[in-house]
Amino acid sequence: MLALFAARPARRLLGSRSFTTAHSPRRENIGILKAYGKPVATIFLWSALTYMSLQAVWNTLYFDEIKLETEAKTAPTSRRFLATEIDATAEAKPEKRVRKDFTQRLNNGPGFGDFVSSPSAPLTPAQAMEKAQSKAAKARLPRWLKTDIPVGKEVSRIRKTLRELNLHTVCEEARCPNMGECWGGGKHGTATATIMIMGDTCTRGCRFCSVKTSKTPGALDASEPQNVARALAAWGLDYVVLTSVDRDDLPDFGSAHFAETVRSIREQAPQMMIECLTPDFLGRPDLIEPVAQSGLDVYAHNIETVEGLQRSVRDHRANYKQSMFVLEHVKRTKPTLLTKSSIMLGVGETDAEVMQTMRDLRTAGVDIVTLGQYMRPTKRHMKVHEYVTPEKFAHWEKVGNELGFIYTASGPLVRSSYKAGEFFISEILRKRASASSMRNVAASVAEGRSKSDSTIQA
């Protein structure tokens, strides 16, 4: 039937007068239809009939087989075995039941009264208070890690100046617990601040640091060295720490900008003591030397943790040997320059690893070492492995002094630019400066005496 319906338009087309005129442009198409229209319709018809026949045969065979299998399963059968008949239906699997276990268990389960009531006697007010205090103690920091909120006129004044000059401090970015003591001067009266230059966005992502990260931070502020020097001169600080984010996106990693900032501070505040906490500059000597020779007093670079935990704590571009090389090269470049490094505790290190790290730092010529407790900035950062006790920090301070460090600052709240450490470092620098001036005076007096003697002899 389908073939007949398909052939009808062809017959109408061939019988139309408009296609039989001598001047019709479609005359060639009419010839093609006359030649191939009928064979194509015939083939289509036979194909349809063949398909329908095969489909009918397949359906018959398939449904007959299904029917036989169903009857074989449902019909009872028996077999002879030792003159005994066994019903095969007894061995058949039981029918699948609709699952009602969950509904039954839910109906038979505990009710609201089981949750609000307790089989034991109610707690007394004293017991309830003790239980609440024990839970709070587990959730809070140890008592030796609690500090006061940084407030005061000096803190407000420094914050205002920072906002006006678009400057950043690592004290705020890293959420340092000693900010109030450092900015206010503390018990020693030596006011200090840690300025973070080259922006507030780092190209590296260490797991302990709360500074913002990005592969493409903003461009450097060309006026930043002068702004930093002007702010520090206005504050009247005694000791300043310059640090920076890592800038792996720059050709020199920020080395020239660092050195220029130190020189600007020296011009506007020559009496100020300057410490630089620098990146590793990927261990390149040509980038380490300009900073070491820029006029600073203390060159600091943090090892952060023991060698076995470097990969799990620091960014993959930083490593133990590279940081040790930076400290060694600074000492070779300028032997009179004080070098300093810091170790975090509470990240999973062992006592043997801490001891080896302190020995390696001393071998590299490091003069000052600080040890402090790692404190998790946010829940997105690395967890604290343990809270080290003050007694343990006192032990490491004793070890540092025995190893020959000029100064060892060790305590739960100690950081790499800790206020108390800077007080003692400033005292060391003052003594060195006075000793140097005395030597200069003695040399000038000796030179004057020699000149007078030569004049008398003449």
Side-chain angles (χ1 to χ4, degrees), residues 368-407:
I368 304 160
V369 64
T370 63
L371 298 96
Q373 170 70 52
Y374 164 65
M375 297 173 68
R376 191 181 189 186
T378 67
K379 292 183 178 180
R380 297 181 289 105
H381 292 81
M382 177 180 63
K383 292 183 179 180
V384 178
H385 186 269
E386 67 170 330
Y387 289 110
V388 182
T389 62
E391 292 77 16
K392 193 68 175 180
F393 279 109
H395 164 73
W396 291 123
E397 181 176 358
K398 182 180 178 182
V399 170
N401 294 332
E402 291 174 352
L403 289 175
F405 289 101
I406 294 176
Y407 177 69

Side-chain angles (χ1 to χ4, degrees), residues 157 227-237 265 268-269 271-272:
R157 184 176 69 88
N227 289 339
V228 170
R230 188 162 57 252
L232 294 176
W235 289 342
L237 299 176
I265 296 172
Q268 299 195 31
Q271 79 287 349
M272 189 176 295

Side-chain angles (χ1 to χ4, degrees), residues 345-364:
L345 301 184
V347 296
E349 70 286 337
T350 63
D351 290 353
E353 289 175 323
V354 176
M355 176 64 78
Q356 185 60 47
T357 303
M358 294 180 72
R359 286 173 178 165
D360 292 342
L361 290 173
R362 195 70 197 98
T363 303

Side-chain angles (χ1 to χ4, degrees), residues 9-10 58 61 163 276 281 301 352 377 379 420:
W58 168 257
L61 295 174
R163 300 294 88 84
C276 289
F281 300 118
H301 176 68
K379 292 183 178 180

Side-chain angles (χ1 to χ4, degrees), residues 411-424:
L413 295 175
V414 170
R415 295 296 178 264
S416 57
S417 55
Y418 185 52
K419 168 70 181 63
E422 289 154 9
F423 170 77
F424 288 105

Side-chain angles (χ1 to χ4, degrees), residues 23-163:
H23 300 286
S24 174
R26 301 181 180 179
R27 190 164 187 148
E28 184 177 354
N29 294 339
I30 295 173
I32 294 173
L33 289 173
K34 285 182 179 180
Y36 297 104
K38 188 174 182 179
V40 170
T42 305
I43 294 171
F44 183 82
L45 177 62
W46 279 108
S47 300
L49 292 174
T50 305
Y51 175 78
M52 292 171 62
S53 301
L54 292 173
Q55 186 69 27
V57 172
W58 168 257
N59 290 341
T60 303
L61 295 174
Y62 179 78
F63 285 111
D64 288 344
E65 184 178 358
I66 295 297
K67 185 177 180 181
L68 291 173
E69 290 180 359
T70 305
E71 292 175 355
K73 289 180 179 179
T74 57
T77 57
S78 61
R79 55 177 179 169
R80 296 279 300 176
F81 183 75
L82 296 178
T84 306
E85 291 186 0
I86 300 176
D87 190 5
T89 58
E91 300 179 358
K93 294 182 179 180
E95 295 182 2
K96 187 176 182 181
R97 297 183 301 171
V98 180
R99 286 197 62 182
K100 297 184 179 179
D101 298 344
F102 179 75
T103 305
Q104 292 175 358
R105 288 165 58 190
L106 190 62
N107 294 333
N108 299 331
F112 180 72
D114 297 319
F115 290 99
V116 298
S117 63
S118 175
S120 58
L123 297 175
T124 62
Q127 291 174 337
M129 181 63 70
E130 184 180 356
K131 187 174 182 180
Q133 289 177 352
S134 63
K135 287 184 178 180
K138 292 180 181 178
R140 294 176 182 173
L141 293 173
R143 64 182 184 279
W144 58 80
L145 290 174
K146 296 178 182 179
T147 58
D148 297 329
I149 297 174
V151 292
K153 293 182 179 179
E154 191 67 19
V155 173
S156 301
R157 184 176 69 88
I158 292 176
R159 274 182 175 156
K160 183 180 178 181
T161 309
L162 289 170
R163 300 294 88 84

Side-chain angles (χ1 to χ4, degrees), residues 152-277:
K153 293 182 179 179
E154 191 67 19
V155 173
S156 301
R157 184 176 69 88
I158 292 176
R159 274 182 175 156
K160 183 180 178 181
T161 309
L162 289 170
R163 300 294 88 84
E164 290 174 353
L165 297 176
N166 193 26
L167 299 177
H168 308 279
T169 64
V170 75
C171 313
E172 294 177 301
E173 298 294 334
R175 306 179 185 183
C176 180
N178 304 316
M179 186 165 60
E181 183 184 356
C182 292
W183 289 9
K187 61 183 179 180
H188 297 294
T190 308
T192 60
T194 302
I195 303 296
M196 188 168 68
I197 61 175
M198 297 195 289
D200 62 346
T201 306
C202 186
T203 56
R204 299 188 183 182
C206 298
R207 295 184 62 203
F208 62 88
C209 185
S210 63
V211 177
K212 293 183 292 185
T213 60
S214 174
K215 291 183 179 179
T216 55
L220 295 180
D221 183 5
S223 61
E224 186 177 49
Q226 294 298 326
N227 289 339
V228 170
R230 188 162 57 252
L232 294 176
W235 289 342
L237 299 176
D238 305 297
Y239 195 104
V240 65
V241 180
L242 290 180
T243 187
S244 75
V245 293
D246 283 280
R247 293 300 301 262
D248 298 290
D249 58 314
L250 301 176
D252 67 341
F253 302 92
S255 173
H257 192 87
F258 224 120
E260 178 63 25
T261 305
V262 174
R263 286 192 289 267
S264 298
I265 296 172
R266 274 280 172 255
E267 291 175 1
Q268 299 195 31
Q271 79 287 349
M272 189 176 295
M273 287 165 284
I274 305 172
E275 174 184 329
C276 289
L277 176 59

